Amino acid sequence: MDYLALNKAAWDERAKIHLASKFYDVPGFIAGNTSLQEIELEALDVQGKSLLHLQCHFGLDTLSWSRLGANVTGVDLSSTAIEQARALARQCQLQADFICSDIYQAPAQLTQQFDIIYTSYGVLCWLPDLQRWADIIAAALKTGGQFYMAEFHPVQALMEGYSYFAQAEPDVEQEATYTENSSSKKHTMVTWPHSLADVVTALLNAGLEITALKEFDFSPYDAFEGLVEGQTSSERPRYYLVHQGQNVPLVYTVSAIKNR
Ligand SMILES: C[S@@+](CC[C@H](N)C(=O)[O-])C[C@H]1O[C@@H](n2cnc3c(N)ncnc32)[C@H](O)[C@@H]1O
């Protein structure tokens, strides 16, 4: 099974659907809104830093970091998403490099090391090998550089019937997308579960020092079945999943430093 070809075809189609979706609100972004969420905005100071965004989709977050003063490079498997990202950068007159590549092949196209590597929300499940992923991150960071990820919590996937623990074989499923256009055509997609311990262990084995691991009982995105919008003092909506009267962890973040 050619998992990359299947996932690329699905993400090419999703990128077209997402560009026109309310979920991604591209007109709002063009008008000057950020696509970034309170979680990562509070965690990172990117002004004047070089930033590599892994699995950048069609570049909204990448370009939002650019608006905050970062020198950005985005990498994604989907050629459609990368074409859209380049077009958005031109339209918004933002400086950004976008590389179309499988993450595991990306190092061949990276010509520098970065101050910050960022990746977020719906990224790890597409990757079969977390140790190779973490090794690539460590190699692409400058000494003293920072890795930051914000990801959906694997317990949320468990609640949907996926394995929490790593499995030898991936899940192969027909899936529609997660935006409001979810009645669109289904595509075959190939995913792997990754436990929190597997993520942390891969980063530690790659030589990074983990400086923070946080878990959140809300998602900034209304991207799953059964979420309810909660009361919040923040301007942004927060979505919760309640199981047997308790909040389910929906997002986690990891911060790490490359010391040498
Ligand atoms: C859920 S999206 C990332 C979402 C991002 N937070 C956003 O909302 O813009 C996942 C991205 O991973 C990319 N992707 C999947 N497998 C990949 C791989 N092997 N190498 C690089 N990118 C990959 C897809 O093309 C897709 O754009």
Side-chain angles (χ1 to χ4, degrees):
M1 178 189 54
D2 186 347
Y3 85 88
L4 272 184
L6 288 169
N7 287 347
K8 178 183 181 304
W11 279 108
D12 280 348
E13 284 306 311
R14 282 182 166 198
K16 288 183 209 154
I17 296 166
H18 291 180
L19 192 72
S21 68
K22 284 203 197 90
F23 184 98
Y24 278 99
D25 186 21
V26 172
F29 173 79
I30 292 169
N33 294 345
T34 182
S35 64
L36 296 164
Q37 305 297 332
E38 53 183 316
I39 294 175
E40 57 270 20
L41 282 169
E42 279 169 17
L44 286 179
D45 175 6
V46 303
Q47 174 63 44
K49 306 266 178 66
S50 56
L51 183 149
L52 174 63
H53 181 186
L54 296 176
Q55 296 176 252
C56 65
H57 202 29
F58 61 97
L60 288 188
D61 284 5
T62 327
L63 296 171
S64 293
W65 289 124
S66 169
R67 279 182 175 153
L68 291 173
N71 302 311
V72 295
T73 302
V75 173
D76 201 277
L77 175 67
S78 161
S79 50
T80 305
I82 289 295
E83 282 161 22
Q84 291 170 346
R86 288 179 180 146
L88 270 171
R90 276 195 300 276
Q91 188 175 354
C92 298
Q93 299 188 318
L94 291 165
Q95 177 57 43
D97 287 333
F98 286 104
I99 297 171
C100 182
S101 175
D102 170 24
I103 203 165
Y104 297 118
Q105 307 306 320
Q109 294 191 60
L110 297 177
T111 53
Q112 62 172 113
Q113 288 180 309
F114 295 86
D115 297 311
I116 298 174
I117 299 183
Y118 169 78
T119 194
S120 70
Y121 303 110
V123 283
L124 294 191
C125 64
W126 312 104
L127 307 181
D129 186 337
L130 279 195
Q131 195 54 61
R132 276 179 74 200
W133 165 80
D135 290 344
I136 286 167
I137 289 165
L141 271 179
K142 290 180 188 170
T143 302
Q146 180 183 10
F147 170 67
Y148 181 82
M149 62 178 284
E151 179 56 297
F152 294 118
H153 203 292
V155 167
Q156 185 282 326
L158 178 69
M159 302 295 291
E160 286 193 3
Y162 294 93
S163 172
Y164 178 82
F165 296 104
Q167 304 179 118
E169 295 301 319
D171 293 302
V172 183
E173 286 185 334
Q174 298 288 314
E175 283 188 43
T177 191
Y178 48 84
T179 61
E180 76 280 3
N181 325 73
S182 60
S183 55
S184 61
K185 196 178 151 214
K186 293 187 173 184
H187 296 95
T188 305
M189 304 192 98
V190 186
T191 59
W192 288 263
H194 300 295
S195 71
L196 227 53
D198 286 351
V199 175
V200 167
T201 302
L203 293 168
L204 290 173
N205 284 344
L208 299 180
E209 178 192 341
I210 293 179
T211 54
L213 168 63
K214 297 185 181 174
E215 294 172 292
F216 297 83
D217 67 353
F218 69 91
S219 164
Y221 295 104
D222 186 12
F224 305 114
E225 287 291 313
L227 298 188
V228 288
E229 190 169 344
Q231 297 296 324
T232 166
S233 54
S234 139
E235 282 175 21
R236 311 285 189 98
R238 292 179 172 187
Y239 300 93
Y240 295 84
L241 182 65
V242 178
H243 175 67
Q244 297 190 355
Q246 307 296 336
N247 286 349
V248 174
L250 293 181
V251 166
Y252 70 102
T253 63
V254 183
S255 302
I257 299 281
K258 177 175 170 177
N259 285 319
R260 59 196 150 78

Coordinates of all heavy atoms in Angstrom, one line a residue, residues 170-216:
P170 N -1.4 0.3 10.1 CA -2.1 1.6 10.2 C -3.6 1.4 10.1 O -4.1 0.3 9.7 CB -1.6 2.4 9.0 CG -1.2 1.3 8.0 CD -0.7 0.2 8.8
D171 N -4.4 2.4 10.5 CA -5.8 2.4 10.2 C -6.0 2.9 8.8 O -5.4 3.9 8.4 CB -6.5 3.3 11.2 CG -6.5 2.8 12.6 OD1 -7.0 1.7 12.8 OD2 -6.0 3.5 13.5
V172 N -6.7 2.2 8.0 CA -7.0 2.6 6.6 C -8.5 2.8 6.5 O -9.3 1.8 6.7 CB -6.5 1.6 5.6 CG1 -6.8 2.1 4.1 CG2 -5.1 1.2 5.8
E173 N -9.0 4.0 6.2 CA -10.4 4.3 6.3 C -10.8 5.2 5.2 O -10.0 6.0 4.7 CB -10.7 5.0 7.6 CG -10.7 4.0 8.8 CD -11.2 4.7 10.1 OE1 -11.0 5.9 10.2 OE2 -11.6 4.0 11.0
Q174 N -12.1 5.2 4.9 CA -12.7 6.2 4.0 C -13.2 7.3 4.9 O -14.0 7.1 5.8 CB -14.0 5.6 3.3 CG -13.6 4.4 2.4 CD -12.9 4.9 1.2 OE1 -13.3 5.8 0.5 NE2 -11.9 4.2 0.8
E175 N -12.7 8.5 4.7 CA -13.0 9.6 5.6 C -13.4 10.9 4.8 O -12.8 11.2 3.7 CB -11.8 10.0 6.4 CG -11.5 9.1 7.5 CD -10.4 9.7 8.4 OE1 -10.4 10.9 8.7 OE2 -9.5 8.9 8.8
A176 N -14.5 11.5 5.3 CA -14.8 12.9 4.8 C -14.0 13.9 5.6 O -13.3 13.5 6.6 CB -16.3 13.1 4.9
T177 N -14.1 15.1 5.2 CA -13.2 16.1 6.0 C -13.9 16.6 7.2 O -15.0 16.3 7.5 CB -12.7 17.2 5.1 OG1 -11.7 17.9 5.7 CG2 -13.9 18.1 4.6
Y178 N -13.2 17.4 8.0 CA -13.6 17.9 9.3 C -14.2 19.3 9.3 O -14.6 19.8 10.3 CB -12.4 17.8 10.3 CG -11.2 18.5 9.8 CD1 -11.0 19.8 9.9 CD2 -10.2 17.7 9.2 CE1 -9.8 20.4 9.4 CE2 -9.0 18.3 8.7 CZ -8.8 19.6 8.8 OH -7.7 20.2 8.3
T179 N -14.2 19.9 8.1 CA -14.8 21.3 8.1 C -16.3 21.1 7.9 O -16.9 20.0 7.9 CB -14.2 22.1 6.9 OG1 -14.6 21.4 5.7 CG2 -12.7 22.2 7.0
E180 N -17.0 22.2 7.8 CA -18.5 22.2 7.7 C -18.9 21.5 6.3 O -20.1 21.2 6.1 CB -19.1 23.6 7.8 CG -19.0 24.5 6.6 CD -17.6 25.2 6.6 OE1 -16.7 24.8 7.4 OE2 -17.4 26.0 5.6
N181 N -17.9 21.3 5.4 CA -18.2 20.6 4.2 C -18.1 19.1 4.3 O -17.7 18.4 3.4 CB -17.3 21.1 3.1 CG -16.9 22.5 3.2 OD1 -16.2 22.9 4.0 ND2 -17.5 23.4 2.3
S182 N -18.4 18.6 5.5 CA -18.1 17.2 5.8 C -18.9 16.2 5.1 O -18.7 15.0 5.1 CB -18.1 16.9 7.3 OG -19.4 17.2 7.7
S183 N -20.0 16.7 4.3 CA -20.7 15.7 3.5 C -20.1 15.5 2.2 O -20.6 14.8 1.3 CB -22.2 16.3 3.3 OG -22.1 17.6 2.8
S184 N -18.9 16.1 2.0 CA -18.1 16.0 0.7 C -17.7 14.5 0.6 O -17.8 13.7 1.5 CB -16.9 16.9 0.7 OG -16.1 16.5 1.8
K185 N -17.2 14.2 -0.6 CA -16.7 12.9 -1.0 C -15.7 12.3 0.1 O -14.9 13.1 0.6 CB -16.1 12.9 -2.3 CG -15.9 11.6 -3.0 CD -15.3 11.8 -4.4 CE -14.5 10.6 -4.7 NZ -13.3 10.9 -5.5
K186 N -15.8 11.0 0.3 CA -14.9 10.4 1.2 C -13.6 10.0 0.5 O -13.7 9.6 -0.7 CB -15.5 9.2 1.9 CG -16.6 9.5 2.9 CD -17.1 8.4 3.6 CE -18.1 8.8 4.7 NZ -18.6 7.8 5.5
H187 N -12.5 10.0 1.2 CA -11.2 9.6 0.6 C -10.6 8.6 1.4 O -10.7 8.6 2.7 CB -10.3 10.8 0.4 CG -10.8 11.8 -0.6 ND1 -11.5 12.9 -0.1 CD2 -10.7 11.9 -1.9 CE1 -11.9 13.6 -1.2 NE2 -11.4 13.0 -2.3
T188 N -9.8 7.7 0.8 CA -9.0 6.7 1.6 C -7.9 7.4 2.3 O -7.1 8.1 1.6 CB -8.5 5.6 0.7 OG1 -9.6 5.0 0.0 CG2 -7.8 4.5 1.5
M189 N -7.8 7.2 3.6 CA -6.7 7.9 4.4 C -6.0 6.8 5.3 O -6.7 6.0 5.8 CB -7.2 9.1 5.2 CG -7.9 10.1 4.3 SD -8.3 11.7 5.1 CE -6.9 12.6 4.5
V190 N -4.7 7.0 5.5 CA -4.0 6.0 6.2 C -3.4 6.7 7.5 O -2.7 7.7 7.3 CB -2.8 5.4 5.4 CG1 -2.1 4.3 6.1 CG2 -3.4 5.0 4.0
T191 N -3.7 6.2 8.6 CA -3.2 6.9 9.9 C -2.6 5.9 10.9 O -2.9 4.7 10.9 CB -4.4 7.7 10.6 OG1 -5.4 6.8 10.9 CG2 -4.9 8.8 9.7
W192 N -1.8 6.5 11.8 CA -1.2 5.7 12.8 C -1.4 6.4 14.2 O -1.3 7.6 14.3 CB 0.4 5.6 12.6 CG 0.8 4.8 11.5 CD1 1.3 3.5 11.6 CD2 0.9 5.2 10.1 NE1 1.6 3.0 10.4 CE2 1.4 4.0 9.4 CE3 0.6 6.3 9.4 CZ2 1.6 4.0 8.1 CZ3 0.8 6.3 8.0 CH2 1.3 5.2 7.4
P193 N -1.8 5.6 15.2 CA -1.9 6.2 16.5 C -0.6 6.4 17.2 O 0.3 5.6 17.0 CB -2.8 5.2 17.3 CG -2.4 3.9 16.6 CD -2.1 4.2 15.2
H194 N -0.5 7.5 18.0 CA 0.8 7.7 18.7 C 0.4 8.2 20.1 O -0.3 9.2 20.3 CB 1.6 8.8 18.1 CG 2.0 8.5 16.7 ND1 2.9 7.4 16.4 CD2 1.7 9.0 15.5 CE1 3.1 7.3 15.1 NE2 2.4 8.3 14.5
S195 N 0.8 7.4 21.1 CA 0.5 7.8 22.5 C 1.4 9.0 22.9 O 2.4 9.3 22.3 CB 0.9 6.6 23.4 OG 2.2 6.4 23.5
L196 N 1.0 9.6 24.0 CA 1.8 10.7 24.5 C 3.2 10.3 24.9 O 4.2 11.0 24.6 CB 1.1 11.2 25.8 CG 0.9 12.7 26.0 CD1 0.2 13.3 24.8 CD2 0.1 13.0 27.2
A197 N 3.3 9.1 25.5 CA 4.6 8.6 25.9 C 5.5 8.4 24.6 O 6.7 8.7 24.6 CB 4.5 7.3 26.6
D198 N 4.9 7.9 23.5 CA 5.7 7.7 22.3 C 6.3 9.0 21.7 O 7.4 9.1 21.2 CB 4.9 7.0 21.2 CG 4.7 5.5 21.6 OD1 5.4 5.0 22.6 OD2 3.9 4.8 20.9
V199 N 5.4 10.1 21.8 CA 5.9 11.4 21.3 C 7.0 11.9 22.2 O 8.1 12.3 21.7 CB 4.7 12.4 21.4 CG1 5.1 13.8 20.9 CG2 3.5 11.9 20.5
V200 N 6.8 11.9 23.5 CA 7.9 12.4 24.4 C 9.2 11.6 24.3 O 10.3 12.1 24.2 CB 7.3 12.3 25.9 CG1 8.4 12.6 26.9 CG2 6.2 13.4 26.0
T201 N 9.0 10.3 24.2 CA 10.2 9.4 24.1 C 11.0 9.7 22.8 O 12.2 9.8 22.8 CB 9.8 7.9 24.2 OG1 9.1 7.7 25.4 CG2 11.0 7.0 24.1
A202 N 10.3 9.9 21.7 CA 11.0 10.1 20.4 C 11.7 11.4 20.5 O 12.9 11.5 20.1 CB 9.9 10.2 19.3
L203 N 11.2 12.5 21.1 CA 11.8 13.8 21.2 C 13.0 13.7 22.1 O 14.1 14.2 21.8 CB 10.9 14.8 21.7 CG 9.7 15.2 20.7 CD1 8.7 16.0 21.4 CD2 10.3 15.9 19.5
L204 N 12.9 12.9 23.2 CA 14.0 12.8 24.2 C 15.1 12.0 23.5 O 16.3 12.3 23.6 CB 13.6 12.0 25.4 CG 12.7 12.8 26.4 CD1 12.1 11.9 27.5 CD2 13.4 14.1 27.0
N205 N 14.8 10.9 22.8 CA 15.8 10.1 22.1 C 16.5 10.9 21.0 O 17.7 10.6 20.7 CB 15.1 8.9 21.4 CG 14.8 7.8 22.4 OD1 15.2 7.8 23.6 ND2 13.9 6.9 22.0
A206 N 15.9 11.9 20.5 CA 16.5 12.7 19.5 C 17.5 13.8 20.1 O 18.1 14.5 19.4 CB 15.4 13.5 18.7
G207 N 17.5 13.8 21.4 CA 18.4 14.7 22.1 C 17.9 16.0 22.6 O 18.6 16.9 23.0
L208 N 16.5 16.2 22.4 CA 15.9 17.4 22.8 C 15.6 17.4 24.3 O 15.3 16.3 24.9 CB 14.7 17.7 22.0 CG 14.9 17.8 20.5 CD1 13.5 18.0 19.8 CD2 15.8 18.9 20.1
E209 N 15.7 18.6 24.9 CA 15.2 18.7 26.3 C 13.8 19.2 26.3 O 13.5 20.3 25.8 CB 16.1 19.7 27.1 CG 15.7 19.9 28.5 CD 16.4 21.1 29.2 OE1 17.4 21.6 28.7 OE2 15.9 21.6 30.2
I210 N 12.9 18.4 26.9 CA 11.5 18.9 27.0 C 11.4 19.8 28.2 O 11.7 19.5 29.3 CB 10.6 17.6 27.1 CG1 10.7 16.9 25.8 CG2 9.2 18.1 27.4 CD1 9.9 15.6 25.7
T211 N 10.9 21.0 27.9 CA 10.8 22.1 28.9 C 9.3 22.2 29.4 O 9.1 22.8 30.4 CB 11.3 23.4 28.4 OG1 10.6 23.7 27.1 CG2 12.8 23.3 28.1
A212 N 8.4 21.7 28.6 CA 7.0 21.8 29.1 C 6.1 20.8 28.3 O 6.3 20.6 27.2 CB 6.4 23.2 28.9
L213 N 5.2 20.2 29.1 CA 4.2 19.3 28.5 C 2.9 19.7 29.1 O 2.7 19.6 30.4 CB 4.5 17.8 28.8 CG 3.4 16.8 28.5 CD1 3.1 16.7 27.0 CD2 3.9 15.4 29.0
K214 N 1.9 20.2 28.3 CA 0.6 20.6 28.9 C -0.5 19.9 28.2 O -0.4 19.5 27.0 CB 0.5 22.2 28.6 CG 1.5 23.0 29.3 CD 1.3 24.5 29.1 CE 2.4 25.3 29.8 NZ 2.2 26.7 29.5
E215 N -1.6 19.7 29.0 CA -2.8 19.1 28.5 C -4.0 20.1 28.7 O -4.0 20.8 29.7 CB -3.1 17.8 29.2 CG -2.1 16.8 28.9 CD -2.2 15.5 29.7 OE1 -2.0 15.6 31.0 OE2 -2.6 14.5 29.2
F216 N -4.9 20.1 27.7 CA -6.0 21.1 27.7 C -7.3 20.3 27.6 O -7.4 19.4 26.9 CB -5.9 22.1 26.6 CG -4.6 22.9 26.6 CD1 -3.4 22.4 26.1 CD2 -4.6 24.2 27.2 CE1 -2.2 23.2 26.2 CE2 -3.5 25.0 27.2 CZ -2.3 24.5 26.7

